[in-house]
Amino acid sequence: MARHDHSHFRRLYRLMVGNFNPPPGKSRIAVALIYGAVCHVIFTAAVLAMIAAMYFGMSESFGRVPQPWAWLANIALIAQFPLAHSFLLSKRGRTILARLAPAGYGPTLATTTYAIIASTQLLVLFTLWTPSGIIWWQAEGSALVVWSTLYALAWLILIKASYDAGAEVQSGALGWMSLLQKIKPVFPDMPTMGLFRLIRQPIYVAFALTLWTVPVWTPDQLLLAVSYTAYCLLAPQLKERRFAMLYGERFAAYQARVPYVVPRLRFGPLLAKRRLARRR
């Protein structure tokens, strides 16, 4: 296991083990456990809803808004996630997040509160979508196996990228676990290892891959894929501005060394190995 994986694992292990022996404080412990339970239940439900809804090309959901208003409702569902997602990461948004918890606990629970809101938004999007009823293409037989495999791989890449960025932050666990243990949340350092060695925005790229590897294509899926792919290309620029302010020259050096979303193809070392093998 790489050194980066060891440090990630040790950090997560220490954070999780600390939950078994929290300092006294019944009200604090109760708030932490309630927030943690709510966060992870909604987070899990949102992920499962996303996987299922997109696998069927957004052709199966619970929304029943009549046409032509259905398309407006669906567009509103698409827009609400990136708008709130970006706002809550702003300075003003972080201030509001810190207030969305019992007095004194807000700043510590900010990451958990953020995960609850984001997960709720995604759950609403993928469960309340109104399907158009139009299916353009549906994979069958061996094609279904291929596209299902690609879809699963895209999700595995997304999970790996989220782990590399800091699983405790991405899942919302950092906030409630820190409150439970009565410690200040310790955020992971600027991610540069794992998939972040190849590109600077692997989470956004992996999410975009899940949008385009589905085995069922409908106008609904196309609308979702185009909209959120654009978001995945544009939104990280705001994130990188924050990183530039936080990490300064470190991020500037990383930015100059690692491409944005498309990995560099390095044929030089491979060609050199082939030439050496031929000489032998």
Side-chain angles (χ1 to χ4, degrees), residues 100-129:
L100 298 178
Y105 299 148
T108 303
L109 285 170
T111 56
T112 302
T113 305
Y114 181 81
I116 290 172
I117 294 173
S119 298
T120 301
Q121 288 182 278
L122 290 173
L123 185 61
V124 167
L125 166 61
F126 288 101
T127 57
L128 298 186
W129 185 277

Side-chain angles (χ1 to χ4, degrees), residues 59-81:
S59 63
E60 300 290 339
S61 191
F62 298 106
R64 293 296 181 267
V65 178
Q67 295 292 357
W69 309 111
W71 286 111
L72 293 177
N74 290 341
I75 291 172
L77 287 173
I78 289 176
Q80 54 89 24
F81 177 75

Side-chain angles (χ1 to χ4, degrees), residues 202-274:
I203 292 179
Y204 286 94
V205 171
F207 180 62
L209 288 175
T210 66
L211 295 167
W212 294 98
T213 53
V214 298
V216 178
W217 275 97
T218 65
D220 311 69
Q221 182 65 31
L222 182 62
L223 175 62
L224 184 75
V226 170
S227 301
Y228 276 1
T229 299
Y231 171 72
C232 288
L233 293 174
L234 298 175
Q237 295 181 18
L238 299 175
K239 177 182 176 182
E240 295 204 343
R241 290 179 188 174
R242 294 193 301 272
F243 271 38
M245 294 176 63
L246 283 171
Y247 300 108
E249 293 183 2
R250 279 186 63 204
F251 181 70
Y254 172 70
Q255 194 175 33
R257 185 175 70 252
V258 179
Y260 186 51
V261 295
V262 179
R264 292 192 182 101
L265 298 178
R266 300 179 180 179
F267 295 109
L270 179 61
L271 292 174
K273 288 182 180 179
R274 288 183 177 179

